[in-house]
């Protein structure tokens, strides 16, 4: 169905033939006057099964082009005929893709019915909105996650990313954001899984189906076991779907991407296969332009916005890595996940001192929010400065003022933990979504000393301060009964 739609929609169909195959890279010879443009899709008719789609990347000479396959090239032979399409790859968009799981070329992979022939399609390559058309008044995108809303608030129509190494909770945080934001915000969600494990895609599909939000979500996957071309372009497929809802249907869109670093990795594999010399730390020389091509198209226009939340793997926890540093430059909010906090059970493991947001300005969020966030950071920073002294000499060697500040910082860090809805089955704790006002009120109470006599565990993995207060009262009752007996 997909191949027929491509062939029927093109008027410039010209025959070429495969002359060489280098893994996922294919050399194709065309007639001299019918050479396709860079970025165009071509269809390679295989003997068995559907046609293979590839994208033209280099003109080797006047009659030979080098293309990147978006599927598996196993069994492909020299001399196989190739049809040009005269346009970039076009994928299905609109209401038809909601509730569906599709691959990089727009084919359903959820065992559902194929898309009808008249489904609208959009090219995966396109320009970013002009600067004159961009921009809305900065507005906070509430997530219900305390530490994010307080210290690194997301911007509606902005770009936010979660940075962390392996196993610190990026995917769980993304899944929680899907669940809470779809329930809290009207609009469409598009999830692009770049280089994800099959298990994670299956879990996400089940989670969205059980929570009843799948019918407002489009899922696009280029799995870890797929060729690099599929992983390299699947982010653009998700972006094309999001842009259609923003520009043509004027809906707000939440674009979730897991994981942007896999896009960079796939680009590096492609770059090597295309014969380009590597650049810094072995990355492709086109690193900056590849990230910019993806990130700059995520923008707001009057009446509708694409809000993007992305997970970024940090190799070896090295935040100076060129790919990570390049992604940082495109963001409005940066949420840094800490392995040290994860090892202490502080989930979500958001590092309060390294996470930032351009929205955290008193003119945008108000004096109370800004002041509270700064005081929370200051208290935690002071505690971190004293940690070595405490480890060497003990907390008793600190002054009374420092002991009090350390106690408040530890309580703040525990109050900023939170049980998630998506982890309820594993932890047995019901998830919590907390309003910003309740988060600020709880932090202010801790900073003002209201909880100085409370047990620290009363504030760990709770929602608002009222829940912590009830837990503290329960602990006191238990302690009193134990003493009485």
């Amino acid at each position: 169905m997909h191949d027929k739609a491509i062939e029927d929609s093109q008027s410039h169909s010209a025959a070429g033939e495969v002359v060489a195959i280098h893994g996922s890279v294919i050399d194709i010879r065309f007639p001299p006057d019918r050479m396709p443009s860079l970025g165009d899709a071509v269809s390679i008719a295989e003997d068995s099964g559907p046609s293979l789609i590839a994208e033209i990347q280099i003109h080797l000479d006047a009659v030979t082009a080098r293309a990147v396959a978006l599927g598996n090239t196993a069994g492909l032979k020299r001399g196989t005929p190739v049809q040009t399409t005269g346009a970039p790859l076009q994928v299905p968009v609109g209401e038809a893709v909601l509730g569906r799981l599709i691959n990089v070329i727009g084919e359903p992979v959820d065992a559902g019915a194929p898309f009808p022939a008249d489904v609208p399609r959009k090219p995966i390559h396109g320009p970013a909105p002009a600067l004159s058309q961009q921009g809305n008044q900065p507005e906070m995108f509430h997530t219900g996650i305390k530490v994010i809303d307080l210290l690194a608030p997301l911007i509606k129509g902005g770009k936010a990313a979660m940075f962390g190494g392996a196993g610190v909770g990026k995917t769980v945080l993304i899944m929680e954001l899907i669940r809470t934001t779809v329930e809290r915000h009207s609009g469409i969600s598009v999830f692009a899984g770049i280089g994800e494990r099959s298990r994670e895609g299956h879990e996400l599909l089940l989670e969205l189906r059980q929570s009843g939000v799948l019918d407002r979500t489009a899922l696009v996957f280029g799995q870890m076991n797929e060729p690099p071309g599929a992983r390299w372009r699947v982010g653009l497929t998700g972006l094309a779907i999001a842009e259609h809802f923003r520009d043509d249907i004027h809906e707000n869109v939440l674009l979730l991407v897991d994981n942007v670093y896999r896009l960079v990795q796939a680009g590096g594999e492609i770059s090597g296969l295309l014969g380009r010399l590597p650049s810094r730390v072995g990355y492709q020389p086109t690193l900056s332009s590849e990230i910019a091509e993806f990130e700059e198209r995520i923008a707001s226009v009057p009446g509708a916005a694409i809000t993007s939340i992305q997970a970024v793997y940090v190799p070896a926890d090295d935040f100076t890595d060129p790919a990570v540093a390049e992604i940082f430059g495109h963001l409005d909010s940066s949420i840094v996940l800490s392995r040290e906090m994860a090892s202490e059970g502080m989930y979500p493991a958001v590092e309060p001192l390294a996470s930032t947001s351009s929205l955290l300005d008193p003119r945008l969020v108000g004096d109370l929010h800004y002041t509270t966030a700064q005081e929370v950071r200051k208290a935690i920073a002071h505690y971190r400065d004293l940690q070595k002294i405490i480890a060497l000499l003990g907390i008793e060697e600190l002054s009374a003022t420092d002991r009090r500040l350390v106690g408040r910082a530890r309580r703040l860090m525990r109050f900023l933990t939170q049980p998630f809805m998506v982890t309820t089955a594993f932890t047995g704790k019901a998830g919590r979504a907390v309003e910003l006002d309740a988060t600020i009120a709880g932090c202010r109470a801790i900073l003002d000393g209201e909880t100085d006599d409370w047990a620290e565990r009363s504030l760990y993995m709770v929602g608002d301060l009222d829940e912590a207060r009830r837990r503290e009262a329960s602990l006191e009752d238990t302690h009193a009964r134990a003493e009485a007996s």
Side-chain angles (χ1 to χ4, degrees), residues 10-336:
Q10 310 306 328
S11 57
H12 302 290
S13 192
E17 67 173 16
V18 173
V19 293
I21 303 140
H22 318 277
S24 290
V25 169
I26 305 165
D27 290 351
I28 306 168
R29 184 179 294 122
F30 294 96
D33 58 337
R34 307 309 292 270
M35 178 74 90
S37 302
L38 295 180
D40 278 5
V42 295
S43 177
I44 304 170
E46 297 194 76
D47 294 338
S48 59
S51 297
L52 174 67
I53 306 300
E55 185 179 290
I56 302 296
Q57 285 298 312
I58 299 175
H59 290 161
L60 296 175
D61 54 41
V63 295
T64 313
R66 182 162 285 173
V68 172
L70 303 184
N72 199 330
T73 58
L76 186 64
K77 301 187 292 289
R78 285 183 294 178
T80 303
V82 178
Q83 296 294 111
T84 60
T85 64
L89 172 65
Q90 302 202 20
V91 295
V93 295
E95 297 288 335
V97 301
L98 295 180
R100 302 301 302 271
L101 177 63
I102 65 174
N103 61 14
V104 64
I105 60 175
E107 292 176 334
V109 288
D110 55 5
F115 293 117
D118 60 350
V119 68
R121 292 179 178 270
K122 188 178 177 77
I124 65 168
H125 295 287
L131 281 174
S132 58
Q133 299 172 344
Q134 288 187 31
N136 280 323
Q137 184 66 25
E139 182 183 341
M140 186 170 170
F141 186 87
H142 293 275
T143 66
I145 298 173
K146 290 182 288 190
V147 66
I148 293 177
D149 286 347
L150 178 70
L151 299 177
L154 309 187
I155 301 176
K156 198 174 213 178
K159 294 184 280 282
M162 289 170 291
F163 295 86
V168 295
K170 296 184 300 298
T171 300
V172 171
L173 197 49
I174 278 274
M175 289 174 68
E176 181 70 7
L177 284 165
I178 291 177
R179 177 149 186 168
T180 57
T181 51
V182 169
E183 290 173 355
R184 293 164 66 91
H185 299 270
S186 62
I188 302 294
S189 288
V190 178
F191 180 89
I194 305 175
E196 285 300 284
R197 301 167 185 86
S198 303
R199 170 187 58 79
E200 290 174 340
H202 182 65
E203 287 176 359
L204 178 64
L205 188 62
L206 289 178
E207 174 66 33
L208 294 177
R209 189 171 285 146
Q210 289 167 4
S211 59
V213 297
L214 184 60
D215 61 344
R216 300 291 287 167
T217 306
L219 301 169
V220 189
F221 266 86
Q223 292 173 183
M224 192 176 279
N225 62 337
E226 292 191 55
R231 289 179 272 123
W232 191 41
R233 288 307 187 213
V234 71
L236 297 184
T237 300
L239 191 51
I241 294 170
E243 286 176 329
H244 174 79
F245 283 110
R246 179 194 66 190
D247 299 335
D248 299 341
I249 304 181
H250 307 294
E251 285 259 25
N252 289 321
V253 184
L254 176 65
L255 175 64
L256 299 122
V257 186
D258 189 6
N259 181 308
V260 178
Y261 184 77
R262 306 283 181 216
L263 183 152
V264 173
Q265 276 187 318
E269 292 176 53
I270 295 294
S271 182
L273 288 168
L274 292 174
R276 296 180 183 134
L277 289 174
S279 182
R280 279 192 306 159
V281 199
Y283 284 110
Q284 60 269 40
T286 52
L287 174 69
S288 297
S289 58
E290 283 179 18
I291 293 173
E293 179 188 9
F294 179 73
E295 297 287 358
E296 291 306 303
R297 286 168 61 184
I298 302 170
S300 303
V301 298
I306 296 178
T307 303
S308 178
I309 303 171
Q310 307 165 15
V312 182
Y313 168 70
V314 180
D317 293 340
D318 178 14
F319 286 88
T320 63
D321 184 88
V324 175
E326 190 66 41
I327 295 167
F328 259 117
H330 291 274
L331 304 173
D332 301 299
S333 303
S334 302
I335 300 163
V336 177

Side-chain angles (χ1 to χ4, degrees), residues 386-456:
L386 295 172
Q387 270 186 309
K388 285 187 179 177
I389 296 174
I390 295 169
L392 288 170
L393 304 176
I395 197 167
E396 295 78 12
E397 296 301 315
L398 299 178
S399 67
T401 301
D402 280 345
R403 283 202 301 272
R404 185 171 64 250
L405 290 174
V406 165
R408 289 177 185 174
R410 288 175 60 87
R411 286 171 174 81
L412 282 167
M413 291 172 70
R414 279 150 182 76
F415 180 65
L416 292 176
T417 62
Q418 187 171 342
F420 282 171
M421 296 176 194
V422 295
T423 58
T424 301
F426 308 106
T427 63
K429 293 183 179 179
R432 303 282 190 276
V434 184
E435 296 298 328
L436 177 62
D437 291 344
T439 301
I440 294 172
C443 291
R444 284 252 56 98
I446 296 169
L447 289 165
D448 294 340
E450 187 180 320
T451 65
D452 283 358
D453 299 328
W454 292 16
E456 289 181 3

